[in-house]
Amino acid sequence: MPHSRIGGRRGAETRDKLNRAAPRPIGAAPAHAYTDGMITELGHFALILAFLVAVVQMVVPLIGAHKRWPGWMAMAEPAATTQFLLVGFSFAALMYAFITSDFSLSLVVQNSHSAKPMLYKISGTWGNHEGSMLLWVLILALFGAMAAWFGSNLPETLRARVLAVQAAVAVAFYAFIIWTSNPFTRMAVPPFDGQDLNPLLQDPGLAFHPPFLYLGYVGLSICFSFAVAALIEGRVDAAWGRWVRPWTLAAWVFLTIGIGLGSWWAYYELGWGGFWFWDPVENASFMPWLFAAALLHSAIVVEKREALKAWTILLAILAFGFSLIGTFIVRSGVLTSVHAFANDPERGVFILMILVFFTGGALTLFAMRAHSMQAKGVFGVVSRESALVANNILLAVSSFVVFVGTVWPLVAEMLFDRKLSVGPPFFNAAFTPFMLILGLILPLGAMISWKRGKLGRVAKTLLPVFVLAVALGGLAWAMQTGRSLLGPVGVFLGAWLVGGALTDLWTRTGRSRDLSRLARLPRADLGKSTAHAGLGILFLGVAGLIAWEQEDIRVAQVGESFEVAGFTLTLNDVRRVQGPNYVSTMGDITLALDGTVLAELFPEKRNYPVAQMPTTEAAIDYRFMRDVYVVIGDRQENGGWVVRTYIKPLANWIWAGTLIMSLGGLLSLSDRRFRVAAGARKSRDKAAVPAE
C-alpha cells in the first residue's frame, strides 16, 4: 500500500485501534460513529427548522405590513437571523462530515476519499449538487440576515416586505433541497472509503470559484426582494435607488470575481489554453452579470434623477430571473456542459416551477403596478441619463443574445427535431458589436453632465485620449501581418477606456491640477473610474490573446530542443510521479530566450485511480506581456512525447482587468453614502410616490 494512502487513513486507523482497545457490547458501533452521526442528524434537523422559520418569516411580516401591525412586522428581523444561524449550522455539519470522512453519508461517499488533500475535502462540501444547493440557501439566508441587520434606515413596512419576499424564495429552495436533494441521506452499510471528488474540481481555483459565484448569483435575490417589495408598496423613489445600489454592487463584485476565477481555472486546468468557451454554464453566469451591470447603472439614475423607475424594477426582476435560469441550466441536464452539477429531469422540473412562479409572479405584479412608478426627472437627448439608458439597452440586449444562443439548440431539438450546436463563431459575431458600441460611448457618458450636457465640450476634453487610442490601434495594425482586425480594434478600445477613465479623474483636479482633490472625491466616483479602466485592460487582454496567439504541436524526444516564436524549449525528462490521490506523468522542460534560461516548466498529465479520470495540468511561465503555455501529451510509438506550446500575448491582462474591475466595485461599496444610506429617510419622506 503506498505511503500516501496510509497517511490519508491515519486518523481512521487510530480510531479503529482505540475502538479495539476499549471493550464494548457485541454489535455496538464505535463511539466516534455515534458522535459523527449525531452531528449530521442535528444538521439535518437544523435544515428542517430553518425551513419552518422561513415559512414564518414569509407569512407573518407580510401580513403585519399589510395590516400595519408593528409587532408582526418586527418578527422579520429575528426570524432572518435565526434562519441564517440554523442553516449555517446545517452547512457546518455537512462540512464536518466531509472533513472527518464520515462515509455514513451518501454524499460524502460519492464525493470524497480519505486520501484526498484537506482543501478538497472542504471544497467537496459544495463540489456536488446537494452540497452546492445547501450553500445556495446559506447565502440566501445570509443576505436576508444582512438586510435585517443593516436595514434600520428602511421604512418599517418596506423592510418587513423585503425580508418576507426573501424568505419566500428561501422556502422554495428549502423545499427543493429537503424533498429532492437531501445532503444528509444516510448509507445503510457505510463503505470503507469514498469514490473521490471529480478530479477537475480538485483545484484551488475551483475550490473558491463556486462560493464567489453563488454570492453573486444569490446576492441578486435581495435586489429582487427589494423590487417586489417596492411593487407591493407601490413606491419607488430616490431613497429606494440608494438602498438597492449597494446590494446590486456587492452581487456584481462577487459575480465578477467568481467568473474571473472560473475563467482562470479553464485557462490553466483544462489544457485548452482558452479563457472563455461560450459553454452553457459559463453563459449561465454571464447573463445575470450583464443584467446586474445594467441594474447598477440604472439605479444611479433612480437615485440621482428619479427617472427610469419602472425599467430599474424590471431589471432587478430579470437579473434574478436569469440567475434562476442559470440554476436550471446547470442542474436540469437539458444542456450538456463540463461544469454541470446534476443531470436529473425531476429536479429540473422543480427548479423550472420555482423560476416560473417567482419570475412570472413578479412580472405580473410589475404589469399591475407599473402605472404607479411615474418618472419625475426630465432629461435631454445629450445627457448622462441618456448615456446610461444606452448602456442599459446594450447590456440587456447582449444578455438576451447570449440567452438565445444558449437555448437555441434545445429549442431546435424540441420544435424541429434537429440537433444543432451553437458555438463561439455565433457568439463572437453576435455579441462583440454590442461591446464595441458600449466601449465607444462609455468614456463620453461617464463625463457628460446630468439632465442636459454639451457633447462638444466632453469630446474636446477626450480628444487627446482618442488620438492616442487611434495611434496605438494603428501601431498594432502596422506591426501585425495578415492577422485579424480584432487586435488593433481591441487595442484602440482598451486604450480609449483606460485613457477616458484617467481623464475623468484628471478633470476632477480642477484648473489648478491639485491632485490632493482626488483623495477627497467620493469613493463611488473613484470606484467608477477604476472599474471602467479595468474593463479597458480586460479588452486589451482579450484582443491580444485572440489576435496574436501562436501555437506549436509536435512530438519531441527526451533531450531534444525546439524553437517556438523565438523561444527555445528543451524536453529534459518525462517521469512518473505519485501524488496524494493521483499518479502523474510529469514533463521537465527548460524555457530559454537567446541562450538565457527563463524558467523550468513541469507540465503534468494526471490520472486519478479512484475516479478513473485523467486531467491535464498545464505549465505556464507568467510574464507581464505574455505567457508561455506548455502541455504534455501521450507517449508515441517512436518513444517521443506530444508537446503543445502556446505563446499567449497579454493573457494576464484579462485577469488583471477583472481584479481591477472588482476593486473598483469594492471602492464604490465602501462609500459612506452606501454604508449608512445618508439622507435616505429625508429623501424617502420627500419624494415617495404613493400607490394609486
Side-chain angles (χ1 to χ4, degrees), residues 420-689:
L420 298 176
S421 176
V422 178
F426 165 80
F427 289 106
N428 292 337
F431 178 80
T432 303
F434 294 103
M435 293 300 101
L436 295 179
I437 298 171
L438 181 65
L440 284 172
I441 67 173
L442 194 150
L444 294 167
M447 294 182 62
I448 205 165
S449 300
W450 292 99
K451 196 172 182 178
R452 289 184 182 87
K454 294 183 178 180
L455 186 60
R457 178 182 300 176
V458 177
K460 182 178 179 181
T461 304
L462 286 171
L463 181 60
V465 174
F466 180 80
V467 172
L468 176 62
V470 170
L472 290 174
L475 178 63
W477 173 263
M479 291 177 64
Q480 71 176 24
T481 304
R483 291 185 178 269
S484 167
L485 185 63
L486 180 61
V489 171
V491 169
F492 162 74
L493 278 179
W496 170 241
L497 286 169
V498 174
L502 294 176
T503 302
D504 188 12
L505 290 177
W506 180 250
T507 58
R508 305 297 186 91
T509 61
R511 293 183 177 179
S512 61
R513 300 308 177 205
D514 182 7
L515 296 179
S516 64
R517 297 180 63 177
L518 295 178
R520 298 191 294 270
L521 282 178
R523 291 186 183 179
D525 292 346
L526 289 172
K528 176 194 72 174
S529 296
T530 302
H532 290 174
L535 181 62
I537 293 171
L538 174 65
F539 276 18
L540 285 167
V542 170
L545 183 59
I546 293 178
W548 301 314
E549 179 184 59
Q550 297 185 56
E551 177 183 5
D552 177 87
I553 303 176
R554 68 176 64 224
V555 176
Q557 301 288 336
V558 173
E560 179 184 349
S561 297
F562 54 93
E563 300 285 330
V564 180
F567 294 93
T568 302
L569 293 95
T570 303
L571 180 61
N572 301 313
D573 190 19
V574 179
R575 58 184 180 271
R576 182 183 177 89
V577 177
Q578 176 69 54
N581 59 333
Y582 62 83
V583 178
S584 170
T585 299
M586 179 184 291
D588 181 348
I589 297 177
T590 300
L591 175 68
L593 179 65
D594 297 330
T596 301
V597 175
L598 300 178
E600 290 288 335
L601 303 177
F602 301 95
E604 295 183 65
K605 192 175 184 65
R606 293 179 180 176
N607 182 55
Y608 290 76
V610 176
Q612 296 185 350
M613 182 175 176
T615 65
T616 299
E617 303 291 326
I620 307 173
D621 180 42
Y622 295 98
R623 298 296 168 109
F624 181 72
M625 293 298 293
R626 56 83 188 146
D627 284 354
V628 176
Y629 184 107
V630 182
V631 177
I632 192 77
D634 296 324
R635 187 172 186 174
Q636 303 300 296
E637 294 181 357
N638 63 356
W641 296 84
V642 175
V643 178
R644 285 186 290 140
T645 308
Y646 301 89
I647 311 300
K648 296 180 174 292
L650 306 183
N652 289 313
W653 292 36
I654 296 174
W655 299 285
T658 303
L659 288 176
I660 293 171
M661 290 169 65
S662 303
L663 176 61
L666 291 174
L667 274 174
S668 296
L669 198 58
S670 67
D671 194 304
R672 184 177 180 275
R673 293 174 299 175
F674 294 157
R675 286 186 282 114
V676 300
R681 191 176 301 278
K682 182 186 295 184
S683 299
R684 182 185 70 243
D685 295 337
K686 181 179 178 181
V689 179

Side-chain angles (χ1 to χ4, degrees), residues 1 14 34 73 95 104 121 142 159 173 181 188 203 224 248 256 278 301 343 376-377 402 459 482 501 512 567 599 669:
M1 181 179 296
T14 302
Y34 288 124
M73 287 188 287
M95 183 178 291
S104 67
K121 287 185 178 181
L142 171 63
R159 182 171 66 247
F173 280 97
S181 308
D203 180 86
F224 173 84
T248 308
T256 303
W278 296 106
V301 183
N343 186 8
K376 287 187 174 182
V402 175
S512 61
F567 294 93
L669 198 58

Side-chain angles (χ1 to χ4, degrees), residues 372-413:
S372 67
M373 293 176 288
Q374 298 178 359
K376 287 187 174 182
V378 178
F379 53 88
V381 176
V382 179
S383 63
R384 187 172 299 186
E385 293 93 330
S386 294
L388 289 171
V389 169
N391 161 288
N392 276 214
I393 293 173
L394 290 168
L395 288 170
V397 173
S398 63
S399 184
F400 278 113
V401 167
V402 175
F403 173 71
V404 170
T406 303
V407 302
W408 184 248
L410 177 64
V411 173
E413 186 173 355

